[in-house]
Amino acid sequence: MTGQHRVPPGRAGRLRLRRSLDTALRGADLLERKLHILLAREQELRRAEEEADRAWRQYLREAETWLLRGLLLGGEQALASAVVADRAQATVEWTASMGVRHPSGVSWTPAARSPAEPTPGNTALVVAEGAYREAVRAAAEFAAARTAARLLAEETHRTRLRVRVLRRHWIPQMHRELAAADLALEQAEHEDSVRRHWAAGLHARRGAVSAKPAGGTKSGEEAP
């Protein structure tokens, strides 16, 4: 959005500049409304990110505490024998806000222990397993919330830059160009009016000269 518009001179050029300016003003208004909506949505996602961050850290601290107790009770061998062969599955769900596609949540399926697999050797490891399961789920939700907030923040930044360029550079430039076009048109019309007035006066003077009688004949005398 730099440089001047190349427009034809006269009223057509001024009309084109006026239309371009009106379009830029409407565009800036729409972008500002979009920016306000994006800012509000970004704040919501930031709060969700902070809550998810606190949740998964809390679950992690709890899981580590119970894991330590379980290791003290049964040793590392008890932990190795309690590992589940299955894997948890997390599917990110997506939505869109003001045209920005971002995660909206996580569909979570925890790892399942088969009947043939041994259970943890003590109660502390059982509690630690449940706490780690919740910590992993919360971490996935935190990652989704953080990604959503980041994507909204990026679009907010781009929209703010567009508004700034329009309001501070593009629209003032078009105002200056329109003012210059108005001045040029006013000067052209004034010059054209002066030329028409001068031409009319010249035509009148020529008409007056051609209307005078031929020289040498006095009033009241008859020609021989």
Side-chain angles (χ1 to χ4, degrees):
M1 294 184 178
T2 58
Q4 295 183 343
H5 288 79
R6 293 183 178 181
V7 296
R11 295 185 180 274
R14 184 177 64 173
L15 179 60
R16 183 180 299 181
L17 280 173
R18 169 55 63 184
R19 289 174 177 172
S20 298
L21 178 58
D22 291 341
T23 300
L25 290 170
R26 288 195 299 270
D29 291 339
L30 290 174
L31 284 174
E32 285 178 341
R33 286 197 288 270
K34 176 183 178 180
L35 180 60
H36 292 156
I37 296 174
L38 285 173
L39 285 171
R41 182 58 177 153
E42 182 188 348
Q43 290 177 357
E44 294 176 1
L45 293 174
R46 290 296 185 191
R47 288 193 293 268
E49 177 189 357
E50 293 173 359
E51 293 175 1
D53 186 20
R54 286 193 295 268
W56 87 266
R57 292 181 185 277
Q58 179 180 349
Y59 282 124
L60 182 60
R61 286 192 298 268
E62 181 181 349
E64 290 175 341
T65 299
W66 284 103
L67 175 61
L68 179 59
R69 294 176 182 177
L71 291 175
L72 292 175
L73 291 173
E76 295 185 1
Q77 183 61 34
L79 175 62
S81 63
V83 174
V84 181
D86 192 16
R87 293 291 182 268
Q89 295 182 355
T91 303
V92 179
E93 300 171 350
W94 293 79
T95 187
S97 300
M98 297 301 294
V100 182
R101 190 168 180 266
H102 62 84
S104 60
V106 175
S107 177
W108 170 256
T109 302
R113 184 183 299 276
S114 70
E117 291 179 305
T119 58
N122 56 65
T123 303
L125 290 179
V126 173
V127 177
E129 181 180 292
Y132 272 114
R133 184 181 291 115
E134 291 301 318
V136 173
R137 178 189 58 79
E141 293 177 350
F142 165 66
R146 185 176 186 179
T147 300
R150 177 180 58 81
L151 292 174
L152 262 295
E154 291 174 354
E155 181 62 21
T156 299
H157 178 67
R158 287 191 292 267
T159 303
R160 184 181 288 109
L161 286 180
R162 294 189 186 105
V163 172
R164 184 178 302 170
V165 169
L166 281 172
R167 292 296 190 191
R168 296 186 181 181
H169 302 286
W170 201 236
I171 290 175
Q173 176 65 27
M174 283 190 286
H175 273 299
R176 289 190 294 269
E177 292 178 9
L178 184 60
D182 287 338
L183 180 60
L185 183 61
E186 182 181 351
Q187 290 177 344
E189 290 177 347
H190 176 71
E191 292 172 358
D192 185 61
S193 176
V194 171
R195 284 194 295 269
R196 288 197 305 269
H197 181 73
W198 181 83
L202 179 62
H203 180 73
R205 288 193 298 273
R206 289 177 177 176
V209 171
S210 62
K212 289 182 179 180
T217 304
K218 296 182 179 180
S219 176
E221 296 182 354
E222 295 183 358

mmCIF file of all heavy atoms in Angstrom, residues 28-44 98 156 159-160 163:
data_model
loop_
_atom_site.group_PDB
_atom_site.id
_atom_site.type_symbol
_atom_site.label_atom_id
_atom_site.label_comp_id
_atom_site.label_asym_id
_atom_site.label_seq_id
_atom_site.Cartn_x
_atom_site.Cartn_y
_atom_site.Cartn_z
ATOM 1 N N ALA A 28 -11.324 -0.025 6.432
ATOM 2 C CA ALA A 28 -10.709 0.218 7.737
ATOM 3 C C ALA A 28 -11.722 0.005 8.862
ATOM 4 O O ALA A 28 -11.392 -0.563 9.914
ATOM 5 C CB ALA A 28 -10.142 1.634 7.796
ATOM 6 N N ASP A 29 -12.968 0.443 8.648
ATOM 7 C CA ASP A 29 -14.008 0.237 9.666
ATOM 8 C C ASP A 29 -14.266 -1.253 9.888
ATOM 9 O O ASP A 29 -14.383 -1.713 11.037
ATOM 10 C CB ASP A 29 -15.297 0.931 9.242
ATOM 11 C CG ASP A 29 -15.182 2.447 9.277
ATOM 12 O OD1 ASP A 29 -14.280 2.956 9.979
ATOM 13 O OD2 ASP A 29 -15.982 3.119 8.593
ATOM 14 N N LEU A 30 -14.343 -2.014 8.792
ATOM 15 C CA LEU A 30 -14.585 -3.456 8.915
ATOM 16 C C LEU A 30 -13.420 -4.146 9.619
ATOM 17 O O LEU A 30 -13.625 -5.026 10.467
ATOM 18 C CB LEU A 30 -14.803 -4.062 7.525
ATOM 19 C CG LEU A 30 -16.106 -3.688 6.825
ATOM 20 C CD1 LEU A 30 -16.123 -4.231 5.395
ATOM 21 C CD2 LEU A 30 -17.310 -4.229 7.597
ATOM 22 N N LEU A 31 -12.202 -3.747 9.279
ATOM 23 C CA LEU A 31 -11.040 -4.358 9.917
ATOM 24 C C LEU A 31 -10.979 -4.022 11.409
ATOM 25 O O LEU A 31 -10.572 -4.866 12.219
ATOM 26 C CB LEU A 31 -9.755 -3.886 9.225
ATOM 27 C CG LEU A 31 -9.454 -4.519 7.865
ATOM 28 C CD1 LEU A 31 -8.230 -3.854 7.233
ATOM 29 C CD2 LEU A 31 -9.212 -6.016 7.997
ATOM 30 N N GLU A 32 -11.383 -2.826 11.777
ATOM 31 C CA GLU A 32 -11.390 -2.470 13.194
ATOM 32 C C GLU A 32 -12.427 -3.282 13.962
ATOM 33 O O GLU A 32 -12.177 -3.710 15.097
ATOM 34 C CB GLU A 32 -11.636 -0.971 13.347
ATOM 35 C CG GLU A 32 -10.421 -0.123 12.986
ATOM 36 C CD GLU A 32 -10.690 1.362 13.100
ATOM 37 O OE1 GLU A 32 -11.896 1.741 13.109
ATOM 38 O OE2 GLU A 32 -9.728 2.143 13.172
ATOM 39 N N ARG A 33 -13.588 -3.515 13.354
ATOM 40 C CA ARG A 33 -14.585 -4.361 14.013
ATOM 41 C C ARG A 33 -14.064 -5.794 14.146
ATOM 42 O O ARG A 33 -14.256 -6.441 15.189
ATOM 43 C CB ARG A 33 -15.901 -4.339 13.228
ATOM 44 C CG ARG A 33 -16.671 -3.034 13.378
ATOM 45 C CD ARG A 33 -18.109 -3.185 12.956
ATOM 46 N NE ARG A 33 -18.234 -3.317 11.510
ATOM 47 C CZ ARG A 33 -18.393 -2.305 10.681
ATOM 48 N NH1 ARG A 33 -18.434 -1.065 11.137
ATOM 49 N NH2 ARG A 33 -18.519 -2.515 9.388
ATOM 50 N N LYS A 34 -13.413 -6.272 13.093
ATOM 51 C CA LYS A 34 -12.815 -7.601 13.163
ATOM 52 C C LYS A 34 -11.753 -7.661 14.252
ATOM 53 O O LYS A 34 -11.661 -8.654 14.999
ATOM 54 C CB LYS A 34 -12.201 -7.970 11.811
ATOM 55 C CG LYS A 34 -11.469 -9.307 11.805
ATOM 56 C CD LYS A 34 -10.819 -9.588 10.458
ATOM 57 C CE LYS A 34 -10.055 -10.898 10.489
ATOM 58 N NZ LYS A 34 -9.393 -11.205 9.187
ATOM 59 N N LEU A 35 -10.963 -6.606 14.362
ATOM 60 C CA LEU A 35 -9.901 -6.570 15.369
ATOM 61 C C LEU A 35 -10.480 -6.649 16.780
ATOM 62 O O LEU A 35 -9.934 -7.363 17.637
ATOM 63 C CB LEU A 35 -9.081 -5.295 15.200
ATOM 64 C CG LEU A 35 -7.919 -5.080 16.169
ATOM 65 C CD1 LEU A 35 -6.907 -6.215 16.057
ATOM 66 C CD2 LEU A 35 -7.238 -3.742 15.898
ATOM 67 N N HIS A 36 -11.566 -5.950 17.035
ATOM 68 C CA HIS A 36 -12.177 -5.991 18.359
ATOM 69 C C HIS A 36 -12.673 -7.395 18.694
ATOM 70 O O HIS A 36 -12.494 -7.884 19.825
ATOM 71 C CB HIS A 36 -13.330 -4.985 18.423
ATOM 72 C CG HIS A 36 -12.892 -3.561 18.361
ATOM 73 N ND1 HIS A 36 -13.704 -2.538 17.933
ATOM 74 C CD2 HIS A 36 -11.695 -2.985 18.650
ATOM 75 C CE1 HIS A 36 -13.048 -1.397 17.986
ATOM 76 N NE2 HIS A 36 -11.819 -1.636 18.404
ATOM 77 N N ILE A 37 -13.276 -8.062 17.705
ATOM 78 C CA ILE A 37 -13.757 -9.428 17.934
ATOM 79 C C ILE A 37 -12.582 -10.372 18.166
ATOM 80 O O ILE A 37 -12.624 -11.238 19.057
ATOM 81 C CB ILE A 37 -14.609 -9.884 16.739
ATOM 82 C CG1 ILE A 37 -15.869 -9.022 16.618
ATOM 83 C CG2 ILE A 37 -15.001 -11.363 16.894
ATOM 84 C CD1 ILE A 37 -16.694 -9.306 15.386
ATOM 85 N N LEU A 38 -11.528 -10.217 17.375
ATOM 86 C CA LEU A 38 -10.357 -11.073 17.545
ATOM 87 C C LEU A 38 -9.712 -10.877 18.908
ATOM 88 O O LEU A 38 -9.281 -11.844 19.548
ATOM 89 C CB LEU A 38 -9.339 -10.783 16.432
ATOM 90 C CG LEU A 38 -9.659 -11.315 15.044
ATOM 91 C CD1 LEU A 38 -8.643 -10.788 14.027
ATOM 92 C CD2 LEU A 38 -9.665 -12.839 15.021
ATOM 93 N N LEU A 39 -9.631 -9.632 19.363
ATOM 94 C CA LEU A 39 -9.025 -9.366 20.665
ATOM 95 C C LEU A 39 -9.822 -10.031 21.788
ATOM 96 O O LEU A 39 -9.240 -10.613 22.711
ATOM 97 C CB LEU A 39 -8.935 -7.862 20.894
ATOM 98 C CG LEU A 39 -7.849 -7.123 20.105
ATOM 99 C CD1 LEU A 39 -8.013 -5.619 20.244
ATOM 100 C CD2 LEU A 39 -6.459 -7.551 20.559
ATOM 101 N N ALA A 40 -11.144 -9.934 21.694
ATOM 102 C CA ALA A 40 -11.976 -10.565 22.723
ATOM 103 C C ALA A 40 -11.816 -12.080 22.699
ATOM 104 O O ALA A 40 -11.694 -12.729 23.751
ATOM 105 C CB ALA A 40 -13.439 -10.184 22.497
ATOM 106 N N ARG A 41 -11.802 -12.663 21.502
ATOM 107 C CA ARG A 41 -11.639 -14.110 21.385
ATOM 108 C C ARG A 41 -10.264 -14.550 21.842
ATOM 109 O O ARG A 41 -10.115 -15.595 22.504
ATOM 110 C CB ARG A 41 -11.874 -14.532 19.935
ATOM 111 C CG ARG A 41 -11.784 -16.026 19.685
ATOM 112 C CD ARG A 41 -12.765 -16.779 20.524
ATOM 113 N NE ARG A 41 -12.727 -18.203 20.218
ATOM 114 C CZ ARG A 41 -13.049 -19.149 21.084
ATOM 115 N NH1 ARG A 41 -13.454 -18.821 22.303
ATOM 116 N NH2 ARG A 41 -12.987 -20.414 20.748
ATOM 117 N N GLU A 42 -9.239 -13.760 21.514
ATOM 118 C CA GLU A 42 -7.882 -14.099 21.943
ATOM 119 C C GLU A 42 -7.774 -14.095 23.465
ATOM 120 O O GLU A 42 -7.115 -14.964 24.061
ATOM 121 C CB GLU A 42 -6.885 -13.107 21.352
ATOM 122 C CG GLU A 42 -5.440 -13.410 21.715
ATOM 123 C CD GLU A 42 -4.476 -12.315 21.287
ATOM 124 O OE1 GLU A 42 -4.882 -11.427 20.503
ATOM 125 O OE2 GLU A 42 -3.316 -12.346 21.744
ATOM 126 N N GLN A 43 -8.418 -13.138 24.120
ATOM 127 C CA GLN A 43 -8.390 -13.090 25.581
ATOM 128 C C GLN A 43 -9.057 -14.328 26.186
ATOM 129 O O GLN A 43 -8.575 -14.880 27.184
ATOM 130 C CB GLN A 43 -9.085 -11.820 26.066
ATOM 131 C CG GLN A 43 -8.307 -10.541 25.762
ATOM 132 C CD GLN A 43 -9.048 -9.291 26.178
ATOM 133 O OE1 GLN A 43 -10.180 -9.364 26.655
ATOM 134 N NE2 GLN A 43 -8.420 -8.140 25.980
ATOM 135 N N GLU A 44 -10.166 -14.772 25.583
ATOM 136 C CA GLU A 44 -10.812 -15.993 26.058
ATOM 137 C C GLU A 44 -9.875 -17.193 25.944
ATOM 138 O O GLU A 44 -9.770 -18.017 26.871
ATOM 139 C CB GLU A 44 -12.086 -16.252 25.257
ATOM 140 C CG GLU A 44 -13.186 -15.223 25.464
ATOM 141 C CD GLU A 44 -14.377 -15.491 24.582
ATOM 142 O OE1 GLU A 44 -14.356 -16.492 23.820
ATOM 143 O OE2 GLU A 44 -15.348 -14.707 24.643
ATOM 144 N N MET A 98 -13.616 -15.905 13.055
ATOM 145 C CA MET A 98 -13.300 -14.794 12.144
ATOM 146 C C MET A 98 -12.356 -15.238 11.029
ATOM 147 O O MET A 98 -11.410 -14.535 10.676
ATOM 148 C CB MET A 98 -12.698 -13.627 12.923
ATOM 149 C CG MET A 98 -13.622 -13.012 13.951
ATOM 150 S SD MET A 98 -15.151 -12.393 13.232
ATOM 151 C CE MET A 98 -14.538 -11.049 12.207
ATOM 152 N N THR A 156 -4.617 -11.443 14.883
ATOM 153 C CA THR A 156 -4.840 -10.138 15.503
ATOM 154 C C THR A 156 -3.728 -9.168 15.127
ATOM 155 O O THR A 156 -3.983 -7.992 14.807
ATOM 156 C CB THR A 156 -4.918 -10.280 17.031
ATOM 157 O OG1 THR A 156 -6.019 -11.140 17.371
ATOM 158 C CG2 THR A 156 -5.121 -8.928 17.689
ATOM 159 N N THR A 159 -4.120 -8.128 11.461
ATOM 160 C CA THR A 159 -5.243 -7.206 11.291
ATOM 161 C C THR A 159 -4.898 -5.825 11.829
ATOM 162 O O THR A 159 -5.233 -4.804 11.224
ATOM 163 C CB THR A 159 -6.484 -7.758 12.014
ATOM 164 O OG1 THR A 159 -6.789 -9.065 11.509
ATOM 165 C CG2 THR A 159 -7.685 -6.855 11.785
ATOM 166 N N ARG A 160 -4.212 -5.773 12.971
ATOM 167 C CA ARG A 160 -3.804 -4.485 13.535
ATOM 168 C C ARG A 160 -2.863 -3.746 12.579
ATOM 169 O O ARG A 160 -2.977 -2.516 12.415
ATOM 170 C CB ARG A 160 -3.126 -4.693 14.889
ATOM 171 C CG ARG A 160 -2.756 -3.380 15.571
ATOM 172 C CD ARG A 160 -2.074 -3.611 16.904
ATOM 173 N NE ARG A 160 -3.008 -4.098 17.920
ATOM 174 C CZ ARG A 160 -3.018 -5.328 18.397
ATOM 175 N NH1 ARG A 160 -2.146 -6.226 17.958
ATOM 176 N NH2 ARG A 160 -3.883 -5.678 19.331
ATOM 177 N N VAL A 163 -4.936 -2.252 9.688
ATOM 178 C CA VAL A 163 -5.643 -1.052 10.120
ATOM 179 C C VAL A 163 -4.676 0.126 10.237
ATOM 180 O O VAL A 163 -4.982 1.248 9.816
ATOM 181 C CB VAL A 163 -6.344 -1.302 11.469
ATOM 182 C CG1 VAL A 163 -6.915 -0.001 12.021
ATOM 183 C CG2 VAL A 163 -7.460 -2.335 11.305
#
